[in-house]
Amino acid sequence: MVKNKVKELSKITTSIYHITFHSEIRSVYLFFKNCNFRCVGCIRKLSSWDLHLDNELLSALEKMYGNNLDSLKTLTLHELESVLSKIASYERVEAILGGGEPTVDPTLPEVLSILNKLSLVPRLLTNGFSLTKEIISLIKRMNGSIVISIKTVDKYLHKVYTGADIDPILRNLNLCNELGVDLMVETIYIPGLIESREIEEIASLISSINPEIPMRIDAYIPVPRAKWKSPSREQLDEALAVAKSLLKTVRVLYPQSKVKGRVEVLWPPLKK
């Protein structure tokens, strides 16, 4: 029976291609390959790999595997469980699911099941477009959390920047709040595109749903073939003040914010 289960898991492929472990903050990051958005300023245009890695590890990954996302191997469910079991002995490890967009992976319920088996607490980073009641409920039962990224509430601007409609995201934001899952909204300050006025509109929308929902404002990181620069600290502080006037909890991820401790590569292997 066990052998049959392992054989079954070894045949089912996820879209997870990269896993890193942040030992200092007890978090493992699962990178999903696919996405249903085509964001102009997507961070994956800089690298397919975790940008929190030091230059030595980034160079090693690029030398061994390249930087073409389409060509990178993805893990089976059995391989995923095997890799994650290496850090299962740590207490209260958070498993961050990002990429990429985890909710377009049909194996996401099975991935969450593996996390639950290994006592890893999920934190789903999502654009919110394809969120389902099933996934939200699963994460709530696991005492996990969901972070929905909302670039703008302007329908035209959202379509231009992401290639997708905003309405399904807003419906799913309301659904998350109704189901009572631990929830946060993230946005990005992009000078010349998404500034204090747009962030105020997002904060106002969140407040109309539930002013207790926290918000995080990230500094845009310039990527190739996009014209925008990173925001200044003054611009971010202005947006922070505006959002704080509408919401109870708001914080900013400033440019060059560093992760404490060393980030390790769990997958793909750096030695063959």
Side-chain angles (χ1 to χ4, degrees):
M1 187 72 176
V2 174
K3 286 184 178 179
N4 289 338
K5 183 66 175 177
V6 170
K7 188 175 181 181
E8 180 185 335
L9 292 178
S10 68
K11 291 181 178 179
I12 303 173
T13 303
T14 72
S15 65
I16 298 167
Y17 70 94
H18 183 36
I19 304 175
T20 56
F21 181 53
H22 302 218
S23 57
E24 182 79 15
I25 57 174
R26 292 288 196 275
S27 69
V28 60
Y29 199 120
L30 282 60
F31 288 77
F32 289 72
K33 181 182 282 191
N34 302 320
C35 191
N36 50 357
F37 278 17
R38 294 293 177 266
C39 295
V40 181
C42 179
I43 194 70
R44 295 274 71 85
K45 292 180 180 180
L46 278 180
S47 177
S48 298
W49 309 109
D50 190 338
L51 291 172
H52 296 106
L53 293 168
D54 61 37
N55 291 334
E56 182 182 346
L57 288 175
L58 277 173
S59 296
L61 283 168
E62 291 177 359
K63 184 176 180 180
M64 290 187 71
Y65 300 100
N67 200 26
N68 182 2
L69 189 58
D70 294 334
S71 67
L72 299 176
K73 178 189 180 300
T74 55
L75 290 157
T76 66
L77 289 171
H78 178 62
E79 289 171 329
L80 175 65
E81 185 172 343
S82 177
V83 171
L84 293 179
S85 65
K86 298 173 184 176
I87 49 97
S89 60
Y90 286 86
E91 290 185 11
R92 184 70 189 182
V93 173
E94 184 177 54
I96 302 173
L97 287 66
E101 176 52 47
T103 61
V104 298
D105 187 335
T107 71
L108 183 56
E110 287 78 17
V111 170
L112 289 170
S113 178
I114 288 172
L115 298 182
N116 193 41
K117 178 181 176 181
L118 297 173
S119 300
L120 301 175
V121 182
R123 185 182 190 197
L124 176 66
L125 311 185
T126 176
N127 56 40
F129 191 90
S130 299
L131 260 180
T132 63
K133 187 175 182 178
E134 176 195 14
I135 293 299
I136 298 167
S137 299
L138 270 173
I139 290 175
K140 184 185 178 184
R141 285 200 298 271
M142 295 171 66
N143 294 315
S145 61
I146 296 176
V147 180
I148 296 181
S149 179
I150 298 179
K151 307 300 188 293
T152 174
V153 294
D154 181 281
K155 291 188 176 184
Y156 174 76
L157 186 56
H158 192 274
K159 185 80 171 180
V160 169
Y161 185 80
T162 69
D165 294 327
I166 184 70
D167 290 342
I169 302 167
L170 301 184
R171 285 196 296 270
N172 287 328
L173 177 64
N174 274 283
L175 181 59
C176 284
N177 181 62
E178 289 168 7
L179 293 175
V181 70
D182 188 354
L183 178 64
M184 182 170 79
V185 172
E186 172 223 36
T187 192
I188 303 176
Y189 192 114
I190 306 176
L193 185 72
I194 299 166
E195 299 185 316
S196 291
R197 183 177 66 83
E198 288 75 21
I199 290 171
E200 181 178 16
E201 290 173 352
I202 297 170
S204 179
L205 170 79
I206 299 168
S207 181
S208 70
I209 297 170
N210 182 355
E212 299 291 321
I213 297 173
M215 180 182 189
R216 191 183 78 193
I217 304 167
D218 293 352
Y220 171 73
I221 299 174
V223 302
R225 297 182 296 281
K227 62 183 179 179
W228 306 291
K229 296 180 179 180
S230 190
S232 67
R233 192 175 187 92
E234 290 73 24
Q235 288 173 315
L236 290 166
D237 286 342
E238 179 187 352
L240 175 64
V242 167
K244 272 189 169 182
S245 69
L246 295 162
L247 297 169
K248 184 176 179 180
T249 306
V250 185
R251 65 187 184 93
V252 170
L253 190 63
Y254 290 98
Q256 289 83 47
S257 295
K258 294 182 179 180
V259 173
K260 294 180 180 178
R262 182 175 171 83
V263 182
E264 306 168 33
V265 177
L266 298 184
W267 184 270
L270 284 172
K271 294 181 180 179
K272 292 186 177 180

